[in-house]
Amino acid sequence: MSFNQPSVSSAVKNQYLYKLKGYSSVFVALMTVQIIAMFFGVLGGVGQYGTSNGSMYLDLYYVSGDLIFAFTCIWAFVIAFTMDSKTNRQAMQVFVTNQLTRHLANGIYLVTLSIIGAITVLLGGFFIKSIVMILNGPESTFIFVGYTIGDFFIGLATTSLYLLLCSAVGYFAGKIASMGLVAKLVLIIGFLSVLFYNGLIERISEFFIMEDVFSIFILKVLVTSLVAYVMAIWLSKQLEVIK
Amino acid sequence: MGIVICDNVSKSFKKNRAIKNLSCTFQENRITGLIGRNGAGKTTLLKTIAGRWRPNEGVVKVFDEDPYDNLKVSANMICVNDELVFSPELTLDEILKSGEMFYSNWDMEIAEGLFDYFELNPNLYHDQLSKGKLSTFNMIVGLASRCPLTIFDEPTTGMDYSVRQDFYRALLKDYINHPRTIILSSHLLNELEDILEDIVLIDKGEICLHESMNDLKEYAIRITGKREDIEPFIVEENILHKKKLEFNLESLVVKNEFSKEEIEQMKQRGIQILNVDAADLSMFLTGQSKGGIDDVF
């Protein structure tokens, strides 16, 4: 009997397709999370600003898709966290796979999820703005009109990158969670104490959010995501050898 | 040619050594039965061969390569056991289609034929199946993938008698049509006798016998007669099983290392000589040497 010598790319492709088909409930989760976020968004608005000037009183609510974005970030983190769990790993091992192809397929899948997530975040933002406008009537609505198609694509790219960052960190955290109890505790406590030490958490968010040059922002996010992803793969390799 | 070669392989889990310095070779295009009692190390050996685990010591070679984390081995091997996990969101039908996508030799005709025959509902999900149906479905995946190395680890768990017989027959027919290397682990040797070509007997993590099925049938004989008549013929180390009967009679199962003359002489003394069932023999070979369950009570 002749043997098959599959290429890495064909194995990755098949696993990627298997993931897309076999785990479609992630999209149901995405929709649920975003509907909840929209509900809060329409109901409360995101921010409120009130001022009075003699006889005139101005009460300003502004509406944005920020809450949808925040919820979607959590979604990306959680999905990535469970992506390489023991059961999901076993489900891959039934078919043609090795560690490299499995992680590559997972990575490409997470990129896909980030892009789909980003598109829905932007559309969801438009959606709640429209709803608020319809509810309040056009006379009491200011619309920021300086929005171009180019802004849309920049928004799409930025949101995708943030979601990718969340999912890469989630993927790494998921690997830490599958370690032994003691190692896990030490790492989590260490991580948290570093995070809250000296306002490091603010500095980390500044590192990404305050970056004005778009290309450098892309570079920062991609490099950080890649580091998290590679560390996850490395950790996964160590864990599986121990077994 | 050896498709699977294990050389001095050991695998431990914490303090428990599941297999110890085990060496054996599984030949190409043969059905080999891996027979042993519960906890003998069957699953550990098979998972090591399948590349799920790396041995602590020794070398495992499958298709001349290290199977651990190996894409080529993964593409040409399937290991069916009752722990198979599929995506929980795929119906049985979709799982079969996924199998077709991954395995280039996949035989959809056989898969669908067996599916209909065993009356599986294609719209069910894998975790909705009963134990027996689950094993049946996994068996279908194992057969349809038509991998050059097909491993079945206790494939008949939960199957009823008639499904088991159908499975053995399906396996044999498919094997004759498409010869490949099949390793089948089980503790039900009596049911497998007719389909196995080779047998590997494993006990406490060690190989205690590796023979062709035909040789196994001549491996030992049962001798029944008066103690003083039997004694001169017997070498103590060759006794596999001893049972005392009434009237000073003894029934012994011994390795068949007798010459024709010796057999003749025994017969003349009125000693009864019988063949030993393969299943009984495997039990004697892997059994504890002292006493039986009756001694506990």
Side-chain angles (χ1 to χ4, degrees):
Chain A
M1 191 168 259
S2 64
F3 297 126
N4 302 307
Q5 184 77 60
S7 65
V8 170
S9 59
S10 73
V12 170
K13 190 190 97 199
N14 286 339
Q15 278 164 48
Y16 172 69
L17 293 176
Y18 181 64
K19 287 236 134 179
L20 271 187
K21 205 166 73 176
Y23 293 88
S24 47
S25 68
V26 294
F27 297 110
V28 179
L30 174 67
M31 272 160 60
T32 316
V33 160
Q34 292 193 338
I35 287 171
I36 295 171
M38 282 182 209
F39 189 69
F40 283 125
V42 172
L43 215 65
V46 171
Q48 188 183 2
Y49 171 77
T51 181
S52 65
N53 180 16
S55 58
M56 197 168 89
Y57 182 77
L58 183 68
D59 205 5
L60 199 70
Y61 290 91
Y62 55 93
V63 174
S64 77
D66 288 359
L67 199 63
I68 305 182
F69 172 64
F71 275 39
T72 308
C73 283
I74 297 171
W75 165 82
F77 181 88
V78 173
I79 296 294
F81 189 89
T82 55
M83 175 125 303
D84 207 43
S85 67
K86 195 179 174 200
T87 351
N88 287 348
R89 222 163 47 224
Q90 284 172 336
M92 301 287 268
Q93 279 170 345
V94 177
F95 297 121
V96 180
T97 176
N98 67 2
Q99 287 185 15
L100 176 71
T101 61
R102 195 182 76 234
H103 287 301
L104 284 177
N106 282 345
I108 298 172
Y109 184 61
L110 289 177
V111 171
T112 314
L113 290 189
S114 302
I115 294 171
I116 293 175
I119 294 173
T120 54
V121 164
L122 292 190
L123 296 182
F126 293 137
F127 181 74
I128 60 164
K129 282 168 198 160
S130 318
I131 294 284
V132 168
M133 194 174 83
I134 292 164
L135 286 180
N136 296 324
E139 61 277 0
S140 59
T141 313
F142 292 103
I143 305 170
F144 173 65
V145 282
Y147 198 83
T148 62
I149 262 292
D151 289 337
F152 177 79
F153 282 111
I154 288 180
L156 187 66
T158 319
T159 317
S160 304
L161 285 169
Y162 274 124
L163 290 178
L164 189 66
L165 182 65
C166 289
S167 58
V169 173
Y171 198 62
F172 177 56
K175 280 286 113 189
I176 289 182
S178 61
M179 292 168 75
L181 188 65
V182 177
K184 197 157 56 184
L185 276 179
V186 168
L187 260 170
I188 291 174
I189 292 172
F191 179 70
L192 288 181
S193 47
V194 167
L195 210 60
F196 290 111
Y197 177 73
N198 253 351
L200 201 67
I201 195 159
E202 278 103 57
R203 270 193 272 165
I204 290 172
S205 28
E206 272 172 25
F207 176 72
F208 294 111
I209 295 167
M210 294 302 175
E211 182 55 59
D212 290 331
V213 184
F214 191 57
S215 52
I216 295 181
F217 166 75
I218 293 179
L219 203 69
K220 278 181 177 176
V221 173
L222 283 183
V223 168
T224 317
S225 305
L226 204 66
V227 167
Y229 177 68
V230 169
M231 285 203 303
I233 295 177
W234 178 80
L235 200 58
S236 160
K237 271 204 141 112
Q238 307 306 310
L239 289 171
E240 279 171 51
V241 172
I242 293 167
K243 233 177 26 171
Chain B
M1 182 189 139
I3 280 281
V4 178
I5 299 167
C6 302
D7 185 20
N8 218 8
V9 174
S10 297
K11 176 75 191 163
S12 322
F13 299 96
K14 297 205 173 135
K15 281 178 186 160
N16 177 26
R17 278 182 94 189
I19 45 180
K20 298 164 207 162
N21 304 69
L22 183 149
S23 297
C24 67
T25 302
F26 293 90
Q27 297 298 330
E28 187 174 13
N29 295 344
R30 287 180 84 80
I31 303 188
T32 306
L34 182 65
I35 309 295
R37 301 188 151 195
N38 296 335
K42 299 191 292 285
T43 300
T44 308
L45 177 61
L46 292 179
K47 282 196 168 173
T48 312
I49 291 172
R52 296 277 187 277
W53 291 329
R54 192 168 255 175
N56 300 103
E57 285 163 46
V59 181
V60 180
K61 291 260 181 217
V62 178
F63 315 131
D64 247 353
E65 293 187 28
D66 176 6
Y68 181 76
D69 199 24
N70 186 319
L71 195 61
K72 183 187 166 192
V73 171
S74 176
N76 293 288
M77 183 268 324
I78 189 162
C79 179
V80 174
N81 53 28
D82 56 2
E83 294 169 12
L84 280 199
V85 178
F86 296 98
S87 159
E89 295 167 34
L90 292 182
T91 61
L92 300 184
D93 194 36
E94 288 167 330
I95 293 175
L96 292 185
K97 291 204 178 95
S98 305
E100 191 177 24
M101 182 171 80
F102 279 102
Y103 290 108
S104 53
N105 293 344
W106 184 271
D107 189 342
M108 204 46 144
E109 219 173 294
I110 284 288
E112 282 171 350
L114 290 170
F115 214 79
D116 289 341
Y117 178 79
F118 288 108
E119 294 175 341
L120 287 160
N121 179 351
N123 298 320
L124 283 183
Y125 294 92
H126 196 251
D127 52 7
Q128 287 177 312
L129 295 174
S130 72
K131 227 178 190 179
K133 288 275 183 199
L134 200 79
S135 297
T136 310
F137 178 76
N138 292 349
M139 170 269 280
I140 293 174
V141 172
L143 282 182
S145 64
R146 239 209 263 152
C147 288
L149 173 61
T150 305
I151 297 174
F152 288 105
D153 186 9
E154 302 273 358
T156 55
T157 314
M159 288 184 188
D160 62 39
Y161 180 76
S162 78
V163 175
R164 286 207 299 274
Q165 299 309 312
D166 284 338
F167 164 61
Y168 300 139
R169 201 158 171 74
L171 181 72
L172 195 60
K173 285 205 152 193
D174 205 48
Y175 167 72
I176 291 166
N177 291 337
H178 307 284
R180 51 199 193 254
T181 312
I182 297 177
I183 304 177
L184 192 67
S185 94
S186 181
H187 48 253
L188 301 169
L189 181 58
N190 47 356
E191 291 184 4
L192 292 172
E193 257 176 71
D194 297 333
I195 62 167
L196 295 182
E197 292 172 287
D198 287 347
I199 178 167
V200 173
L201 212 57
I202 179 170
D203 187 40
K204 299 188 189 87
E206 289 170 84
I207 300 274
C208 48
L209 182 126
H210 187 165
E211 297 275 353
S212 76
M213 211 55 200
N214 289 333
D215 291 345
L216 181 74
K217 284 173 183 158
E218 288 164 13
Y219 184 80
I221 51 173
R222 184 186 287 279
I223 304 172
T224 311
K226 283 208 174 108
R227 196 183 168 154
E228 54 272 24
D229 290 339
I230 295 176
E231 225 152 39
F233 295 98
I234 303 296
V235 184
E236 191 66 30
E237 295 94 70
N238 286 350
I239 300 177
L240 301 171
H241 185 251
K242 194 186 234 175
K243 196 170 159 191
K244 285 199 171 110
L245 303 172
E246 289 165 343
F247 311 117
N248 200 24
L249 286 178
E250 248 180 21
S251 176
L252 299 180
V253 174
V254 281
K255 277 191 196 165
N256 190 2
E257 286 175 357
F258 300 103
S259 63
K260 272 187 181 163
E261 293 80 48
E262 281 176 310
I263 298 274
E264 229 20 75
Q265 283 173 19
M266 282 196 277
K267 280 184 180 165
Q268 278 166 11
R269 291 198 185 193
I271 297 171
Q272 192 189 23
I273 297 172
L274 292 172
N275 288 329
V276 187
D277 205 37
D280 287 342
L281 179 60
S282 75
M283 200 168 71
F284 298 144
L285 283 168
T286 59
Q288 283 126 337
S289 48
K290 287 169 204 146
I293 188 71
D294 286 340
D295 298 341
V296 178
F297 295 92

